[in-house]
Amino acid sequence: QVQLVESGGDLVRPGGTLRLSCAASGFSFTSRYMAWIRQTPGRGLEWIAYISGAGTLVYYADSVKGRFTVYRDNGNNIVYLEMNGLRVDDTAVYYCARDCESCYVPAAPDLWGQGTLVTVSS
Amino acid sequence: SHDLTQPPSVSVSPGQAARIPCSGDELTKKYTYWYRQKSGQAPVMVIYEDNKRPSGIPERISASTSGTVATLIISGAQVEDEADYYCFSTVYDANQGVFGGGTKLTVL
């Protein structure tokens, strides 16, 4: 079954750290770019990061650059999002998504997980 | 600017065509993608590479692009088409993604 399952969302204090995980199954994980996208409650979608299939190329939105790190474990088909220096405005549902296959540059997510909620509050 | 602009809402009667525009300078250089998000669910891709439909998406959903404006078209809109629709593209030469602000489609 082709699916993405996120985990790790939690309530965290401002300035804190959290790591999200996304377990992939049912497709050739190592050949795919992967993406993280977030959605603030009641608001729209915000793309935040891409990682290439080999994990050697990463791209970030300006809003998270320097605070968030995306990496992957291709042996276990998992992609991670490590979030440091969390702020109240990072509160959102975080989605993991699959992007293009064997592509030179990322294109667009074609399969999404169900999301995991991160709440940053004192 | 790398922004993609969508109207907050569009409303049509059942059976009418719904048109949702998305404008942005990036659309002249990169493909446009469209997503549908129903309440409480994850987004689903309904159009890729400007005007192609993934398998399982009905033919009454289509899209076009002209210059800096992409338009999602739902012919004969039905109540089941009510959802939020988002356009998406990537920033030329930066490999960053960008979403439009989303459009809430109401069919009533």
Side-chain angles (χ1 to χ4, degrees), chain B residues 5-28:
Chain B
T5 302
Q6 298 180 239
S9 63
V10 167
S11 182
V12 298
S13 299
Q16 285 188 326
R19 295 176 182 271
I20 299 174
C22 168
S23 63
D25 293 340
E26 302 300 322
L27 303 185
T28 62

Side-chain angles (χ1 to χ4, degrees), chain A residues 37 39 43-47 50 59-62 65 95 105-110 112-114, chain B residues 30 33 35 37 40-45 84 86 88-90 94-101:
Chain A
I37 297 131
Q39 185 167 32
R43 296 184 63 184
L45 299 168
E46 180 186 12
W47 171 87
Y50 279 132
Y59 306 99
Y60 298 99
D62 293 345
K65 199 174 296 182
Y95 292 101
V105 295
D110 67 351
W112 299 56
Q114 285 303 305
Chain B
K30 302 290 281 188
Y33 301 77
Y35 298 89
Q37 185 180 32
Q41 298 181 17
V44 171
M45 180 182 278
D84 294 323
Y86 294 90
F88 175 88
S89 190
T90 51
N95 291 325
Q96 292 178 317
V98 57
F99 285 95

